[in-house]
Amino acid sequence: MNSRLVVTFTTLIVFLIAALAVPLGLAYASHRTNRLLLDRRADATRFAELADQAAREDDRVGLISEINRYAELYGAAVRVRDRDGSILATVGRFDADDREATRLALAGRTTEDLPTISPFGPATVLLAEPAGRDAQLSGVVLLEAPTSRARLDVSLVWGALALGALVALAYSALAARRLARWILRPVTELDRTTQAIAHGRLDARAHPGAGPSELRRLEERFNAMADAVSSAMERQRAFVADASHELRTPLTVLGLRLENLEPHLRGEGAAEFEEAMAELDRLALLVEDLLALARVEAGAVVEGKEVPLAPRLAAWREVYAAKGVRLVTGIPETEVVPEAAARVADIALDNAQKFVPEGGTVTVTLDDGVLRVADDGPGLSEEERSEALGRFWRSGAHANVPGSGLGLAIAAELARTCGAALALLPAVPHGLIVELRLKSQP
């Protein structure tokens, strides 16, 4: 948009400069042409008087001497004709056809205008002046004068105008660029702020300063809106965290009381008791996951903190061995990753041990900053993979598997906190790959 504004402003300035410079250039060319006409017509008039005197006295010596000196001095061509059109005297070479000019001069009409002089021509101009008094015309004087001096003057003036126009255009383009930046500065600031908010920096705000007052007001209102949205989200996170925290103790107490009631239940109530305890466990897991999600969103994970990944993976070997699932890792003991990435690996391994059948394999790799947890379980369809990172999402085919539906949502939030990208990919021939692309280190 900045480029479009600069181009628009510069185009308008070009038209304005052209509207000023072109008429000035043409006006000077016309003025210089008129000066040339007046100067050369005065000379032609003087030669016409000499030609008339020579015709009356029948002595052309003085006339010929004058036109010779004039031709040598100015490089012009002069020709004198009588009333019949015969040449009485001529000096220099005529390039133009003088028949029409001769006819008009013999009719008593003098040259009133010349073609406009420009740097590109004409090279010579032709003037015709009748010789004689009143109706007693004795002949005509033809003067073909060079225009090199006039063309040089016009060239210098046009060059000065062009140079001035270029300087004005350069300064105007610079001013247009600064004006466009000034106009668009609030828009640029809003773009930067919205991009920062989109990347999770909810405290990012625009800084109203330069720019049109309307756009500065827009920045202020955007900041007010961002404050309101951020405050509402913070209250929501605080509510979820507080509610989850406060529910943990009552749920624990309820679980203990139900366990104390178990010896007093009759045989026919054992099934209902087991279902109640299962629901209680599911509710406790949901509360724990909600609390974990609220903490991640609140920034409880320390950015930049790195932990060894291999010990975290080793802790899962017993869990996998108990389920008859093979866990394959080839990550060195010294390999470290952001704490958030290690927690994403924990979530992916926890999900895999739930869905991979006995005898299956789960492989964890870390190559070129890409952490992958791949399994050969049932996997997810393309549509399910696109929805699986949402909160409380559960596949219809796995509704009987314990879980809150928040695991991958927490993983996605953890990935955001460490600047990584989380993706769910299909494994071949079947299964699921949880891929985390870590932010490259400078």
Side-chain angles (χ1 to χ4, degrees):
M1 187 173 181
N2 182 74
S3 300
R4 290 196 293 271
L5 278 178
V6 171
V7 170
T8 301
F9 290 155
T10 305
T11 302
L12 293 176
I13 292 168
V14 167
F15 282 126
L16 178 61
I17 293 175
L20 294 174
V22 171
L24 284 175
L26 294 177
Y28 180 78
S30 177
H31 166 72
R32 190 63 181 84
T33 303
N34 290 333
R35 275 182 51 194
L36 178 65
L37 172 64
L38 292 175
D39 293 344
R40 299 290 88 81
R41 189 162 62 184
D43 297 336
T45 300
R46 186 168 64 87
F47 291 143
E49 292 174 353
L50 291 175
D52 182 59
Q53 181 181 355
R56 284 187 284 106
E57 296 176 359
D58 195 22
D59 183 7
R60 295 193 292 271
V61 175
L63 172 64
I64 294 174
S65 175
E66 283 291 328
I67 61 177
N68 280 329
R69 285 200 301 269
Y70 182 85
E72 291 177 1
L73 181 63
Y74 293 103
V78 182
R79 179 175 293 167
V80 180
R81 294 180 182 271
D82 60 13
R83 285 183 300 178
D84 298 327
S86 300
I87 299 176
L88 300 178
T90 182
V91 177
R93 177 187 174 197
F94 273 79
D95 294 325
D97 185 359
D98 63 351
R99 286 176 295 180
E100 179 64 17
T102 301
R103 185 184 66 79
L104 293 175
L106 291 175
R109 297 172 61 181
T110 186
T111 302
E112 297 293 341
D113 53 34
L114 297 176
T116 302
I117 303 297
S118 74
F120 315 105
T124 59
V125 292
L126 179 64
L127 291 85
E129 187 71 21
R133 298 175 181 176
D134 301 327
Q136 300 297 321
L137 294 179
S138 59
V140 59
V141 174
L142 300 168
L143 175 63
E144 188 177 73
T147 62
S148 55
R149 180 63 182 272
R151 284 190 289 124
L152 177 61
D153 292 343
V154 174
S155 299
L156 291 175
V157 172
W158 282 20
L161 287 174
L163 180 61
L166 289 176
V167 172
L169 179 60
Y171 278 104
S172 300
L174 181 61
R177 180 179 292 275
R178 293 192 175 185
L179 178 61
R181 286 181 181 175
W182 180 78
I183 292 174
L184 293 178
R185 186 189 178 283
V187 178
T188 304
E189 185 71 14
L190 286 174
D191 179 67
R192 180 193 63 79
T193 305
T194 53
Q195 184 177 13
I197 292 176
H199 283 81
R201 289 181 49 209
L202 300 182
D203 59 338
R205 295 293 181 271
H207 302 287
S213 58
E214 295 84 354
L215 293 179
R216 292 201 303 271
R217 284 198 301 271
L218 177 62
E219 285 184 299
E220 293 170 357
R221 291 169 183 172
F222 175 85
N223 286 342
M225 179 194 69
D227 289 338
V229 172
S230 179
S231 177
M233 293 181 65
E234 185 60 34
R235 288 195 300 270
Q236 181 183 15
R237 282 198 295 265
F239 170 76
V240 172
D242 292 343
S244 302
H245 185 271
E246 293 300 324
L247 284 173
R248 294 173 70 186
T249 301
L251 287 175
T252 303
V253 173
L254 180 59
L256 291 174
R257 290 183 177 180
L258 286 177
E259 290 178 357
N260 291 335
L261 287 175
E262 184 178 9
H264 305 287
L265 293 175
R266 298 178 181 177
E268 60 272 13
E272 287 77 3
F273 174 80
E274 294 296 334
E275 292 178 1
M277 290 300 295
E279 288 296 321
L280 185 63
D281 291 340
R282 189 185 69 81
L283 185 57
L285 178 61
L286 177 60
V287 169
E288 290 291 338
D289 286 346
L290 281 173
L291 184 59
L293 181 58
R295 287 174 176 171
V296 172
E297 290 180 338
V301 178
V302 180
E303 293 187 21
K305 180 181 179 181
E306 294 186 336
V307 297
L309 183 59
R312 301 283 287 259
L313 300 178
W316 285 96
R317 293 192 181 279
E318 293 184 5
V319 177
Y320 274 72
K323 291 184 172 289
V325 178
R326 191 162 63 102
L327 178 61
V328 179
T329 64
I331 299 175
E333 294 289 334
T334 57
E335 191 73 46
V336 294
V337 295
E339 182 184 9
R343 293 181 63 178
V344 171
D346 287 338
I347 293 172
L349 289 171
D350 183 51
N351 280 343
Q353 60 91 16
K354 294 177 184 177
F355 300 107
V356 176
E358 185 177 354
T361 302
V362 176
T363 304
V364 183
T365 59
L366 178 61
D367 295 315
D368 296 329
V370 180
L371 176 64
R372 291 187 181 89
V373 179
D375 63 62
D376 56 1
L380 297 173
S381 65
E382 182 178 354
E383 181 179 358
E384 289 175 329
R385 290 196 304 273
S386 64
E387 300 174 355
L389 297 180
R391 299 182 182 185
F392 301 107
W393 182 87
R394 291 173 64 84
S395 172
H398 307 139
N400 59 335
V401 178
S404 63
L406 289 173
L408 289 176
I410 295 173
E413 195 65 28
L414 286 168
R416 183 190 62 79
T417 61
C418 66
L422 182 67
L424 302 181
L425 306 173
V428 179
H430 55 79
L432 182 69
I433 300 176
V434 179
E435 181 182 88
L436 182 69
R437 291 188 172 272
L438 300 174
K439 181 174 63 175
S440 59
Q441 298 297 323

